[in-house]
């Protein structure tokens, strides 16, 4: 969760900036999805002065995006408005024929979700006059038959890996600590665990957070016996 | 969730402002807790130009607060730094003897959690020279034996109810819709539900969000059959 | 400058919230103007979770608003999109016949500029079926002949004075200090000053800021002799 | 102004990230100065989830930083707290012997002001055990005699030029337009202008902004004759 939320936001924008050197301030940035990755991207895009539009299929997440101050609309509408599009939904063809046609001349499109299927690249190629022109190292410029240009970043692969360095070490450490403590937990509890998919025990998440805070020299409060007792009485009582 | 996160943030600050007419910009605002209510308060306090310190007992939430850009520290340290303190933890004596003594002269303290137990008011009274002086309608000023003044807002009761109007209707509507659809669900499924505590079915949450978005004239994307199939294949596959 | 920028933002939203108890999160908030007052309002409206649209007549200020991440458009377009409109331009009829007709049913309109002329109230009345209905203490609801409702807050007078308490004392102190030091300056320099309009000497602004910082216990850096010399050599050199 | 404010913020952080791949979220970032460049850096650093401390020598700017929600303190105090230091003051030795000694082990220091004099590098070298070790392409790690490490980015030269690509084209276009229109203005008015330093005529700034907005497809309001007349009457009247 921490690497998706805090790592992806920074590294995705880092990838977009390295690929294009575009100024984010004043741009309309369309983020497809409002899961952990995509809300990290939306937050950082706004933090860099972008005006963010979110697209979603889940009404609960869409409503959260609205309440967080973003515009929310279908991608067919957002397609006309965006300067930069970033997909992070985990689904296919989030940017497709019906969107490419209505994009602005010069639109930038990038993916930060799984695999290079979120943008329908074969369709984009089919709508184009020729093979794309490599205008910068990670920028393929497609010229549509209408004459408009669409710039695909990093060949639609995860832009933070393609054009930048992926997640910073200082967030991946938590993910790896989590994975190794989880492996230890599985080894220690091998006998009692039945074959199944388990979520990581909360105690491991807390232990990783505790270690991380200590490494950052951040101290936090500890419940007094009196406070523990009060909370326990509530939990019993309800 | 929506009323706690989005409603409490605004209405708590509204309560503090109505009670005191203090300018939040430039103030150090200490928020006790980083649950849904308290993170709403922290977000809006920062949005009004405050410099926010968060205190927490849960390392995971504390780490989130750090990664969200806030300072995190024990309340004993925060006590020396804050201009305004707002508790929203659900526990008792979050502000207590060991904190009052080190607060700045003129500190404002308010509660936005459950009941008026988060601030240890009897202790504050015991440390004071006399009965508190009512300096504004919702402000009781305690003068400690050291001569310092501490201003308790709304008698430690929920400040958004004490001094303001509580949550706006436009967020409570969702809570009430949720409750009435849940009641309907219970009536319809009375026979199959065994006596127990159930969480609200996700479908009800989604339905309320769908209705709310419609009322706000916000349209969202719908999965294409192709996208549904792709997601389903993943879920099957994993 | 400080009271306009930091005071007006908070007190204007405070006025709107007290008048209506509306939740700002998720609302589209149109701010007319991007001077000191209006940019304070825009910043705080975004800080409360609103989605802000700015209208301007000055291209430089309009461009700043764009680069600050807001949408910028003519009021005739914004009129269709806004849930809440706040004027702070210093000009007349910023909201007028051509805007009222295209507003959403239930739109809230308020003024935070000088006098009650920014909203063309006689025109709004002329477009309405009857006299407005007072739906809350500071809310006059006009019903247009089309059946749509437009809610005028505080009779178009400065909403932060009409429905709230105006600027907090902690920002007005600076304005008053500035005015009294300026009066002193005029008295002391009465002989050498010719009749004219003068701007406040920078040294007075700095002195007020210095006193305010001291009162807030904020220490700042002081140039070393070496640094002063370096800066001076630059100024001489250029 | 636009390139300093909006360009430097993004490109400086871009330089720091490329040089180090550090995650900004959760870091304490000390920005020296609160002029146009440095406030752009502070704003973007906060927008990326950093907790920002500002140092200043001018009380007016220091007070603005406080009111904008940042912590303000002398560099000697900030030195103990920062994870990342960025100087943009235009003066010399802003980071000097009295600061290096109290920095955390692993602190990152970078410059985004003019020339490489803001960080006293000879002093840093004198305090170190050996020549610095190049731990990444743009990172020289100094090991103090105390054993602590301080990482100097881009040899103290402008980090946005050293490690990134400088300002994005989309902001420099305005600076260059401004310069060429100013040159034209000088040529056209050669006879009437006496040898002196002139500020760019406001009309040129406005024209550049007008062209930029048009290029971004942003329309803005135009004063009605009635509004022009009202404003003019005020200006006459006052």
């Amino acid at each position: 969760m921490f690497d998706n939320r805090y790592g992806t936001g920074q590294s995705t924008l880092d990838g977009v900036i390295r690929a294009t050197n575009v100024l984010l301030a004043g741009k309309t940035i369309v983020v497809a999805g409002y899961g952990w990755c995509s809300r990290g991207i939306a937050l950082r895009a706004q933090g860099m002065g972008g005006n963010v539009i979110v697209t979603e299929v889940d009404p609960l997440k869409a409503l959260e995006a609205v309440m967080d101050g973003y515009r929310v609309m279908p991608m067919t509408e957002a397609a006309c408005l965006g300067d930069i599009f970033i997909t992070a939904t985990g689904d296919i063809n989030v940017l497709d024929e019906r969107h490419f046609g209505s994009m602005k001349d010069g639109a930038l499109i990038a993916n930060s979700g799984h695999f290079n299927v979120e943008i329908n690249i074969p369709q984009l190629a089919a709508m184009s006059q020729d093979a794309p022109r490599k205008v910068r190292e990670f920028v393929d410029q497609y010229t549509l038959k209408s004459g408009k240009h669409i710039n695909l970043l990093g060949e639609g692969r995860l832009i933070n890996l393609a054009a930048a360095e992926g997640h910073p070490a200082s967030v991946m450490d938590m993910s790896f600590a989590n994975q190794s403590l989880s492996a230890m937990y599985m080894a220690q509890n091998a006998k009692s665990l039945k074959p199944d998919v388990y979520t990581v025990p909360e105690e491991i998440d807390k232990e990783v957070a505790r270690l991380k805070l200590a490494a950052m020299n951040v101290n936090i409060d500890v419940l007094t016996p009196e406070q523990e007792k009060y909370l326990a009485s509530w939990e019993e009582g309800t």
Side-chain angles (χ1 to χ4, degrees), chain A:
Chain A
M1 185 184 80
F2 276 93
D3 61 341
N4 280 344
R5 183 147 45 133
Y6 300 106
T8 306
Q10 175 176 309
S11 64
T12 297
L13 296 186
D14 184 22
V16 170
I17 293 172
R18 291 199 207 190
T20 62
N21 203 30
V22 72
L23 180 72
L24 299 179
K27 295 292 185 302
T28 299
I29 302 173
V30 179
V31 179
Y34 205 59
W36 285 124
C37 282
S38 26
R39 71 183 60 191
I41 298 169
L43 187 63
R44 297 310 174 218
Q46 186 180 56
M48 295 301 279
N51 187 287
V52 174
I53 296 174
V54 170
T55 70
E56 244 302 337
V57 294
D58 177 331
L60 261 178
K61 290 181 184 165
L63 187 53
E64 276 184 275
V66 169
M67 302 299 266
D68 287 340
Y70 303 114
R71 278 185 284 166
V72 174
M73 61 184 72
M75 185 59 89
T76 45
E77 284 176 40
C80 318
L81 301 172
D83 299 304
I84 303 171
F85 296 80
I86 304 171
T87 57
T89 69
D91 208 339
I92 56 169
N93 301 342
V94 177
L95 290 179
D96 206 341
E97 183 175 12
R98 66 194 181 286
H99 310 120
F100 299 134
S102 50
M103 284 183 183
K104 292 184 198 173
D105 185 28
L108 303 176
I109 61 178
N111 170 43
S112 195
H114 283 294
F115 316 126
N116 62 339
V117 297
E118 302 217 6
I119 300 171
N120 190 343
I121 303 174
Q123 182 59 47
L124 180 60
M127 293 167 75
S128 298
Q129 294 179 6
D130 301 291
R133 197 164 68 89
K134 194 165 280 303
V135 292
R136 278 174 66 111
E137 192 180 351
F138 298 105
V139 183
D140 290 318
Q141 186 171 77
Y142 289 81
T143 305
L144 301 195
K145 282 157 190 165
S146 65
K148 272 196 314 193
H149 305 86
I150 292 181
N151 299 291
L152 175 67
L153 310 191
E155 300 179 346
R157 297 174 198 283
L158 272 75
I159 190 64
N160 57 353
L161 294 177
E165 300 182 46
H167 290 323
S170 64
V171 69
M172 287 314 295
D173 59 357
M174 289 191 276
S175 304
F176 293 142
N178 201 297
Q179 287 166 24
S180 64
L181 287 175
S182 296
M184 238 172 77
Y185 174 85
M186 285 190 281
Q188 286 166 349
N189 295 276
K191 292 198 179 147
S192 60
L193 292 169
K194 275 174 279 184
D196 202 347
V197 177
Y198 291 88
T199 55
V200 173
E202 198 193 346
E203 213 29 66
I204 291 186
D205 281 337
K206 289 206 177 174
E207 179 60 17
V208 172
R210 223 183 323 257
L211 293 168
K212 181 76 184 176
L213 288 169
M216 298 170 94
N217 278 317
V218 175
N219 295 313
I220 64 172
D221 271 324
V222 177
L223 291 175
T224 62
E226 181 193 51
Q227 289 176 324
E228 288 216 9
K229 194 175 150 197
Y230 180 83
L231 287 183
S233 72
W234 259 96
E235 278 156 23
E236 283 162 23
T238 327

